[in-house]
Amino acid sequence: VVISRMNQFFNFKDIVSISLNFLYFFGIMYPEFDTPITTIKYVIRVSIFLGFFFGGIVIAEIINLYLSIGDLQKMMKALFLTLTNLVSICKFYAVCKNQKFLLNLVDKINRPEFQPKSKKQGESLEKYIRLSKIISISLYTGCTMTCGFWSIYPYTEDEGPFLPIAAYIPFGTENPRVFGLVYTYEIVATVIGGYTDLSVDSLIASLIMVVCAQLHILNDSLVNLNSMVKDELERKKFEGIGSLSEEDVINEKLIECIKHHRAIMDFSENVIELFTTSMFWQFVVSGFVICATFFEMTMVPVMSVRFFSMVLYQYCMLLEIFPICYFGNEVIIESNKLTNSAYHSDWINYSLKVRRNLIFFMTRTQRLLKLYAGGFFTMSLDTFIKILKSSWSFVAVLIQIQKT
């Protein structure tokens, strides 16, 4: 059993599979242009998805926002989706510009140091993969439902039907056919914008989950160092490998833990390097968007379709940043456990050489691993709570301004 477990390869890259597939499909990530057909297909896909639909709706929203200056209610209505799309462009740029770096980072997910050392650790990594897929499906489901409600609510209002998205249309839409085409265009463009934006957020959350998962199994390796040493000695004896003393195997396993920790630190630094700027603007804009959405919800009847559409949009906005903050917080917690986990190994019976290495490792792990957005925001639950508090404070101010 031990031998088959040790030789089994675990594909942890499945944790980012859904988000990567969506990014490739919509053209945010480009394929290898090995044939002219591949190039033509990609150009057509990008021109339709990112050019005609997403690019067109963003330009129309920006113009509409400019024309709404001076009217608080119209500005807030135009603001929440426009800001979201502008941050999406920042994310798309980070992914497209650094695609080779990103793919290299994804390949590092399956590096030897990140492979599970036991069946328990393998099961733990499988749970993270399932959780990542649940988060992705929840995001896409929320986006689909939100767009579905947005497509319905203009027909439920007394002044309807009207176009669902606050955007500048340079021509009249009185003709039913023209209105239907523009209506369909706005919904499709919004779905594409939502799916692509959430795909990047899902990818970022999944990469942070990799850091969290690896810290979790590293803690497990440290706590169960003795049992891992016994398994290794049995395996070497069964395979007829030259005899090694228990001290040598303990030192070998401890060095593996040290290398594992270094690999985690390297991976986390690469994640932050890749997405630090886009996540900074995501946190900044999220506060304004959540505020604008809350304000918009106070302006419509509670039991209306419009209200439920805003609730679903708020759900998407919160779910967009909550997993990133939650697993960023888990990284801090798991990182904080490392020193204690190392201490709980059977270090009293270790040799002086092994104890020195253990002390060296424990000294390094006393510095907590924290993930930062733009070097300013810590990816943690505390930051998430601060965003919510700030948003609600702005809503209260806007309501007072609206009343005066």
Side-chain angles (χ1 to χ4, degrees), residues 304-339:
S304 64
V305 177
R306 171 68 172 168
F307 179 82
F308 283 110
S309 70
M310 299 307 298
V311 170
L312 284 169
Y313 183 74
Q314 193 72 283
Y315 160 82
C316 290
M317 287 306 304
L318 294 174
L319 193 58
E320 192 174 17
I321 60 174
F322 177 74
I324 293 171
C325 291
Y326 176 81
F327 289 107
N329 197 77
E330 287 296 301
V331 166
I332 298 173
I333 293 173
E334 292 293 338
S335 175
N336 191 39
K337 291 179 181 178
L338 289 175
T339 305

Coordinates of all heavy atoms in Angstrom, one line a residue, residues 304-339:
S304 N -40.0 43.6 -6.1 CA -39.9 43.8 -7.5 C -38.8 42.8 -8.1 O -37.9 42.4 -7.4 CB -39.6 45.2 -7.9 OG -38.3 45.6 -7.5
V305 N -39.0 42.6 -9.4 CA -37.9 41.7 -10.1 C -36.6 42.5 -10.1 O -35.6 41.9 -10.0 CB -38.4 41.4 -11.5 CG1 -37.3 40.6 -12.3 CG2 -39.7 40.6 -11.5
R306 N -36.7 43.8 -10.3 CA -35.5 44.6 -10.3 C -34.7 44.5 -8.9 O -33.5 44.3 -8.9 CB -35.9 46.1 -10.5 CG -34.7 47.1 -10.3 CD -33.7 47.0 -11.3 NE -32.7 48.1 -11.3 CZ -31.6 48.1 -11.9 NH1 -31.3 47.1 -12.7 NH2 -30.8 49.1 -11.8
F307 N -35.4 44.4 -7.8 CA -34.8 44.3 -6.5 C -34.1 42.9 -6.4 O -32.9 42.9 -6.0 CB -35.8 44.4 -5.4 CG -35.3 44.2 -4.0 CD1 -34.7 45.3 -3.4 CD2 -35.3 43.0 -3.4 CE1 -34.1 45.2 -2.1 CE2 -34.8 42.9 -2.1 CZ -34.2 43.9 -1.5
F308 N -34.7 41.9 -6.9 CA -34.1 40.5 -6.8 C -32.9 40.5 -7.7 O -31.9 39.8 -7.4 CB -35.1 39.5 -7.1 CG -36.1 39.2 -6.0 CD1 -37.4 39.5 -6.1 CD2 -35.7 38.5 -4.9 CE1 -38.3 39.3 -5.1 CE2 -36.5 38.3 -3.8 CZ -37.9 38.6 -3.9
S309 N -33.0 41.2 -8.9 CA -31.8 41.2 -9.8 C -30.6 41.9 -9.1 O -29.5 41.4 -9.3 CB -32.2 41.9 -11.1 OG -32.4 43.3 -10.9
M310 N -30.9 42.9 -8.3 CA -29.8 43.6 -7.6 C -29.3 42.8 -6.5 O -28.1 42.8 -6.2 CB -30.3 45.0 -7.1 CG -30.8 45.9 -8.2 SD -29.6 46.2 -9.5 CE -28.2 46.9 -8.5
V311 N -30.2 42.0 -5.8 CA -29.7 41.1 -4.8 C -28.8 40.0 -5.4 O -27.7 39.7 -4.8 CB -30.9 40.4 -4.1 CG1 -30.4 39.3 -3.2 CG2 -31.7 41.4 -3.3
L312 N -29.1 39.5 -6.5 CA -28.3 38.5 -7.2 C -26.9 39.1 -7.6 O -25.9 38.5 -7.5 CB -29.0 37.9 -8.4 CG -30.1 36.9 -8.0 CD1 -30.9 36.5 -9.3 CD2 -29.5 35.6 -7.4
Y313 N -27.0 40.3 -8.1 CA -25.8 41.0 -8.5 C -24.9 41.3 -7.3 O -23.6 41.1 -7.3 CB -26.1 42.3 -9.2 CG -24.8 43.0 -9.7 CD1 -24.2 42.6 -10.8 CD2 -24.3 44.2 -9.1 CE1 -23.0 43.2 -11.3 CE2 -23.2 44.8 -9.5 CZ -22.5 44.3 -10.7 OH -21.4 44.9 -11.1
Q314 N -25.5 41.7 -6.2 CA -24.7 41.8 -4.9 C -24.1 40.5 -4.5 O -23.0 40.5 -4.0 CB -25.7 42.4 -3.9 CG -25.0 42.9 -2.6 CD -24.2 44.2 -2.9 OE1 -23.2 44.2 -3.5 NE2 -24.8 45.3 -2.5
Y315 N -24.9 39.5 -4.7 CA -24.3 38.1 -4.3 C -23.1 37.8 -5.1 O -22.1 37.3 -4.6 CB -25.4 37.1 -4.6 CG -24.9 35.7 -4.8 CD1 -24.7 34.9 -3.7 CD2 -24.8 35.1 -6.0 CE1 -24.2 33.6 -3.8 CE2 -24.3 33.8 -6.2 CZ -24.1 33.0 -5.1 OH -23.6 31.7 -5.3
C316 N -23.1 38.1 -6.4 CA -22.0 37.9 -7.3 C -20.8 38.8 -6.9 O -19.6 38.3 -6.8 CB -22.3 38.2 -8.7 SG -23.4 37.0 -9.5
M317 N -21.0 40.0 -6.5 CA -20.0 40.9 -6.1 C -19.3 40.4 -4.8 O -18.1 40.5 -4.7 CB -20.5 42.3 -5.9 CG -20.8 43.0 -7.3 SD -19.4 43.0 -8.4 CE -18.1 43.8 -7.4
L318 N -20.1 40.0 -3.9 CA -19.6 39.5 -2.6 C -18.8 38.2 -2.8 O -17.8 38.0 -2.2 CB -20.7 39.4 -1.6 CG -21.4 40.6 -1.1 CD1 -22.6 40.3 -0.2 CD2 -20.4 41.6 -0.4
L319 N -19.4 37.3 -3.6 CA -18.8 36.0 -3.8 C -17.5 36.2 -4.7 O -16.6 35.3 -4.7 CB -19.7 35.1 -4.5 CG -19.3 33.6 -4.6 CD1 -19.2 33.0 -3.2 CD2 -20.4 32.8 -5.3
E320 N -17.4 37.3 -5.4 CA -16.2 37.6 -6.2 C -15.0 37.8 -5.3 O -13.9 37.4 -5.6 CB -16.5 38.8 -7.0 CG -15.5 39.1 -8.1 CD -15.9 40.2 -9.0 OE1 -16.7 41.0 -8.6 OE2 -15.3 40.4 -10.1
I321 N -15.2 38.5 -4.2 CA -14.0 38.8 -3.3 C -14.0 38.0 -2.0 O -12.9 37.8 -1.4 CB -14.0 40.3 -2.9 CG1 -15.3 40.7 -2.1 CG2 -13.8 41.2 -4.1 CD1 -15.3 42.1 -1.6
F322 N -15.1 37.4 -1.6 CA -15.1 36.6 -0.4 C -14.2 35.4 -0.4 O -13.4 35.2 0.6 CB -16.5 36.2 0.0 CG -16.6 35.4 1.3 CD1 -16.4 35.9 2.5 CD2 -16.8 34.0 1.2 CE1 -16.4 35.2 3.7 CE2 -16.8 33.2 2.3 CZ -16.6 33.8 3.6
P323 N -14.2 34.6 -1.4 CA -13.3 33.4 -1.4 C -11.8 33.8 -1.4 O -11.0 33.2 -0.7 CB -13.6 32.7 -2.7 CG -15.0 33.1 -3.1 CD -15.1 34.5 -2.6
I324 N -11.5 34.9 -2.1 CA -10.1 35.4 -2.1 C -9.7 35.9 -0.7 O -8.6 35.5 -0.2 CB -10.0 36.6 -3.1 CG1 -10.2 36.1 -4.5 CG2 -8.6 37.3 -2.9 CD1 -10.2 37.1 -5.5
C325 N -10.6 36.6 0.0 CA -10.3 37.0 1.4 C -10.3 35.9 2.4 O -9.5 35.8 3.3 CB -11.3 38.1 1.8 SG -11.2 39.7 1.0
Y326 N -11.3 34.9 2.2 CA -11.4 33.8 3.1 C -10.1 32.9 3.0 O -9.5 32.6 4.1 CB -12.6 33.0 2.8 CG -12.7 31.7 3.6 CD1 -13.2 31.8 4.9 CD2 -12.3 30.5 3.1 CE1 -13.4 30.7 5.7 CE2 -12.4 29.3 3.9 CZ -12.9 29.4 5.2 OH -13.0 28.3 6.0
F327 N -9.7 32.5 1.8 CA -8.6 31.6 1.7 C -7.3 32.4 1.9 O -6.3 31.8 2.4 CB -8.6 30.9 0.3 CG -9.7 29.9 0.2 CD1 -10.8 30.1 -0.6 CD2 -9.6 28.7 0.9 CE1 -11.8 29.2 -0.7 CE2 -10.6 27.8 0.8 CZ -11.7 28.0 0.0
G328 N -7.2 33.7 1.7 CA -6.1 34.5 2.1 C -6.0 34.5 3.6 O -4.9 34.4 4.2
N329 N -7.1 34.5 4.3 CA -7.1 34.4 5.8 C -6.7 33.0 6.2 O -6.0 32.9 7.2 CB -8.5 34.7 6.3 CG -8.6 35.0 7.8 OD1 -8.2 36.1 8.2 ND2 -9.0 34.1 8.6
E330 N -7.1 32.0 5.5 CA -6.7 30.6 5.8 C -5.2 30.4 5.7 O -4.6 29.7 6.4 CB -7.5 29.6 5.0 CG -8.9 29.5 5.3 CD -9.1 28.9 6.7 OE1 -8.6 27.7 7.0 OE2 -9.7 29.5 7.6
V331 N -4.6 31.1 4.7 CA -3.2 31.1 4.5 C -2.5 31.6 5.7 O -1.5 31.0 6.2 CB -2.8 31.9 3.2 CG1 -1.2 32.1 3.2 CG2 -3.2 31.2 2.0
I332 N -3.0 32.7 6.3 CA -2.4 33.3 7.5 C -2.5 32.3 8.6 O -1.5 32.1 9.4 CB -3.1 34.6 7.9 CG1 -2.8 35.6 6.7 CG2 -2.5 35.1 9.2 CD1 -3.6 36.9 6.9
I333 N -3.7 31.7 8.8 CA -3.9 30.7 9.9 C -3.0 29.5 9.8 O -2.3 29.1 10.7 CB -5.4 30.3 9.9 CG1 -6.3 31.5 10.3 CG2 -5.6 29.1 10.9 CD1 -7.7 31.2 10.2
E334 N -2.9 28.9 8.5 CA -2.1 27.7 8.3 C -0.6 28.0 8.5 O 0.1 27.2 9.0 CB -2.4 27.1 6.9 CG -3.8 26.5 6.8 CD -4.0 25.3 7.6 OE1 -3.0 24.6 8.0 OE2 -5.1 24.9 7.8
S335 N -0.2 29.2 8.0 CA 1.2 29.6 8.2 C 1.5 29.8 9.7 O 2.6 29.5 10.1 CB 1.4 31.0 7.5 OG 2.7 31.5 7.7
N336 N 0.6 30.3 10.4 CA 0.8 30.5 11.9 C 0.9 29.1 12.6 O 1.5 29.1 13.7 CB -0.4 31.3 12.5 CG -0.1 31.7 13.9 OD1 1.0 32.1 14.2 ND2 -1.1 31.7 14.7
K337 N 0.4 28.1 12.0 CA 0.5 26.7 12.7 C 1.8 26.0 12.5 O 2.1 25.1 13.2 CB -0.6 25.8 12.1 CG -2.0 26.2 12.5 CD -3.0 25.2 11.8 CE -4.5 25.6 12.2 NZ -5.4 24.6 11.5
L338 N 2.6 26.5 11.5 CA 3.8 25.7 11.1 C 4.8 25.5 12.3 O 5.3 24.4 12.5 CB 4.5 26.4 10.0 CG 3.8 26.4 8.6 CD1 4.5 27.2 7.6 CD2 3.7 24.9 8.1
T339 N 5.1 26.6 13.0 CA 6.0 26.5 14.1 C 5.5 25.5 15.2 O 6.3 24.7 15.7 CB 6.3 27.9 14.8 OG1 6.7 28.8 13.8 CG2 7.3 27.8 15.8

